[in-house]
Amino acid sequence: MFRTSFGPYLASRYEDVATVLRDKRFGKDFEARIIRRYGEKVFDEPIYDSVRRWMLERDPPDHTRLRGLVVKAFTARTVEDMRPRIQAIVDATLDRIAPQGRMDIVRDFAYPLPVTVICEMLGIPEEDHAQFQANPGVGGRLLDPVPPDPGRNRHRQQGASGAGSLFPQPVRTAPARAGQRSDHPARPGRGGR
């Protein structure tokens, strides 16, 4: 383990990485980290209030519960069924970049590919995909783990709060049921419940 020049610690051996991933003493602790960094009122800002509910920012047991819902969309069969479409996206991306004669692997390929696939999985219309690729106010930071400094974030608030209109109805968070904690999305019911 060593501390990198830009701050975070890095585990490079397999055994150390496996320990960090499995040991419950390591976790996101997103809310506490953001409060330490920006102060108690940070969650008054809609983008931070939203991000703290994301599965990737939650620790168990919330992360485990949410992951259990999401993992159903990624069975081996489902992923294999997606292979031709993902290959088509890869081919189209490379065809678009090839005439330039060069590319930034992250900016031009590694970032847009999963964002495009996720947009398609969520049913976001193709004409709206560009907003998720480039517009940080609506969702261009789709894969980023932490939103930008709240002081620079004011212009993003309208976009973040309006982004829900881009998602199909089944993807939107259901209203909390009576007695359910409001910081957790409602679980889908069975038989119309």
Side-chain angles (χ1 to χ4, degrees):
M1 298 281 291
F2 71 94
R3 188 165 191 163
T4 63
S5 59
F6 49 94
Y9 286 90
L10 176 67
S12 59
R13 294 185 315 166
Y14 175 84
E15 294 81 11
D16 296 332
V17 171
T19 298
V20 168
L21 290 175
R22 291 188 177 103
D23 191 319
K24 294 188 185 313
R25 292 175 296 175
F26 294 92
K28 289 284 187 178
D29 197 21
F30 178 79
E31 291 185 31
R33 279 189 303 115
I34 295 299
I35 288 171
R36 281 193 304 272
R37 188 171 185 181
Y38 299 122
E40 293 285 337
K41 294 191 177 260
V42 69
F43 294 114
D44 291 346
E45 298 197 32
I47 193 166
Y48 283 88
D49 189 48
S50 173
V51 170
R52 73 174 165 176
R53 291 177 176 79
W54 293 3
M55 179 183 74
L56 296 177
E57 299 305 332
R58 305 299 296 183
D59 286 316
D62 293 330
H63 175 84
T64 308
R65 176 179 56 82
L66 295 170
R67 186 173 178 269
L69 297 172
V70 172
V71 78
K72 294 171 187 170
F74 294 99
T75 64
R77 167 83 183 195
T78 303
V79 171
E80 187 58 35
D81 288 347
M82 293 169 57
R83 182 183 296 271
R85 180 60 192 138
I86 293 172
Q87 184 65 57
I89 294 168
V90 167
D91 293 345
T93 301
L94 294 176
D95 289 346
R96 189 183 73 251
I97 295 168
Q100 300 172 19
R102 63 188 175 87
M103 69 185 251
D104 179 304
I105 190 72
V106 173
R107 183 191 67 227
D108 298 330
F109 185 79
Y111 182 84
L113 177 62
V115 172
T116 301
V117 171
I118 291 168
C119 284
E120 289 197 4
M121 290 179 72
L122 293 174
I124 296 169
E126 188 172 348
E127 61 270 18
D128 292 327
H129 289 191
Q131 294 182 59
F132 287 82
Q133 299 289 354
N135 184 342
V138 177
R141 299 182 62 89
L142 185 62
L143 299 180
D144 285 358
V146 179
D149 181 330
R152 299 181 306 146
N153 200 35
R154 300 284 177 219
H155 70 284
R156 300 170 190 266
Q157 301 306 333
Q158 287 181 312
S161 59
S165 64
L166 297 175
F167 292 95
Q169 188 61 37
V171 176
R172 295 188 191 142
T173 304
R177 295 186 182 129
Q180 183 178 5
R181 287 180 47 186
S182 62
D183 62 339
H184 298 291
R187 292 183 185 204
R190 293 194 178 132
R193 287 188 273 169

